[in-house]
Amino acid sequence: MKLSLIVPVLNEETFIPLYLESAAAYADEIVIVDGGSTDRTVPLIESYLPHLPIRLFTMPQTGMPYTDDWNESQVRNFLIGQATGDWIMNLDVDELMDDRFRDVLPELMNRKDVDIYQFPFVNFWGNPWTLRINSPGDERWSNDITRMWRANIGIRYRDEKHHCTLEGEGGRSIWSLPRDRVDVNIYHYHYALGKKIKFNDNRRGDVNVPDNKGEPDWHFDHAEYRIATVPFEGSHPEVVRRYIAANPDHR
């Protein structure tokens, strides 16, 4: 059994080394679509080509990021179509699996009674030591997320412009498919490492970004709900531990 890891990227020079070095431990192929990066994303990916099973494609995104100018479902469905593994995992570039995943993966792929897997989704907020969690009216942070499914059973992305969702064959809900929960965390570092806030990505107004481009206010209370956080008491994946050690500002 083989696993295809699929990921769209755009200006992700911070996360590319972390993502690829983490994925090297468990992925049989890594299928990447670059959306027209202007930073070091593509050269960094190319530096890994001699060592990792990467297939790199380019599909330039046009228009304003994180709006209906984009056509994210087209990109993600292209990735599904390129995957050759028995299983597919859609893991975004700012998402890393817990190191235990490589040990449990063979058993997951060999099961005959499950077609789709969900994982706990751990969201960091502002730094690698703070987690954002659900609060009344803001219940999107402490939940499981679907990230892996058996190939060739008709799972695709619904026709949506951004933050598109998976659906089963004929548009049916993926919740009708036999599934299981894997007690292995996916760590989401979007708001904790690198630039933290990307262009046009403060869509819900959750962060108070100063005009002088200083450090954002990560505990800014939204008008409609309270932003709830707790300390992170777990252990980061090895690649992130090395990154933090090399970047003391994240301590």
Side-chain angles (χ1 to χ4, degrees):
M1 289 287 179
K2 294 184 177 181
L3 175 69
S4 294
L5 189 63
I6 62 173
V7 56
V9 299
L10 179 63
N11 294 329
E12 296 288 1
E13 62 185 7
T14 295
F15 288 107
I16 285 296
L18 303 177
Y19 187 89
L20 294 179
E21 290 169 23
S22 173
Y26 61 83
D28 295 288
E29 74 170 354
I30 306 167
V31 188
I32 304 174
V33 167
D34 179 72
S37 295
T38 56
D39 64 358
R40 296 188 303 132
T41 292
V42 172
L44 283 170
I45 294 171
E46 291 174 341
S47 72
Y48 285 89
L49 290 178
H51 314 292
L52 296 181
I54 297 170
R55 297 167 59 213
L56 174 61
F57 301 89
T58 300
M59 296 179 65
Q61 288 280 21
T62 59
M64 186 72 71
Y66 305 105
T67 71
D68 285 348
D69 290 345
W70 276 13
N71 195 353
E72 186 178 334
S73 61
Q74 179 181 347
V75 174
R76 291 188 181 271
N77 284 329
F78 173 84
L79 285 162
I80 291 174
Q82 293 298 318
T84 64
D86 304 284
W87 289 82
I88 296 173
M89 180 169 234
N90 61 323
L91 196 70
D92 285 349
V93 72
D94 53 13
E95 301 168 0
L96 300 179
M97 298 303 301
D98 187 275
D99 290 338
R100 295 189 300 117
F101 183 58
R102 60 190 170 198
D103 299 322
V104 305
L105 180 60
E107 179 182 352
L108 299 180
M109 292 196 294
N110 282 313
R111 286 184 62 175
K112 306 297 184 184
D113 60 328
V114 175
D115 286 337
I116 193 165
Y117 287 108
Q118 62 193 63
F119 302 82
F121 200 54
V122 179
N123 286 280
F124 292 91
W125 186 244
N127 59 66
W129 313 115
T130 303
L131 300 180
R132 184 164 175 177
I133 60 173
N134 287 349
S135 65
D138 188 33
E139 298 173 348
R140 59 191 294 268
W141 300 93
S142 313
N143 310 308
D144 290 352
I145 192 166
T146 299
R147 278 290 187 265
M148 178 176 165
W149 64 90
R150 192 184 304 276
N152 303 316
I153 60 172
I155 291 182
R156 306 279 288 175
Y157 281 91
R158 189 175 300 140
D159 184 14
E160 296 169 317
K161 297 300 183 180
H162 58 98
H163 276 194
C164 47
T165 52
L166 290 167
E167 63 183 9
E169 192 170 18
R172 67 174 176 159
S173 170
I174 58 172
W175 293 96
S176 65
L177 298 170
R179 68 168 53 229
D180 199 2
R181 181 182 191 271
V182 184
D183 190 22
V184 174
N185 290 341
I186 297 176
Y187 298 107
H188 182 212
Y189 290 99
H190 179 117
Y191 301 105
L193 302 178
K195 295 179 180 178
K196 302 181 184 180
I197 294 295
K198 300 175 185 176
F199 176 70
N200 204 46
D201 193 26
N202 190 18
R203 287 156 288 171
R204 302 169 80 226
D206 284 354
V207 183
N208 185 15
V209 182
D211 291 337
N212 62 5
K213 298 182 180 180
E215 179 68 13
D217 180 358
W218 292 99
H219 300 283
F220 178 71
D221 281 339
H222 195 280
E224 299 177 7
Y225 46 77
R226 182 179 65 88
I227 293 178
T229 62
V230 296
F232 175 58
E233 299 179 350
S235 178
H236 294 286
E238 181 182 354
V239 294
V240 174
R241 295 199 299 270
R242 293 200 303 263
Y243 176 88
I244 293 172
N247 295 270
D249 57 311
H250 285 301
R251 290 181 179 176

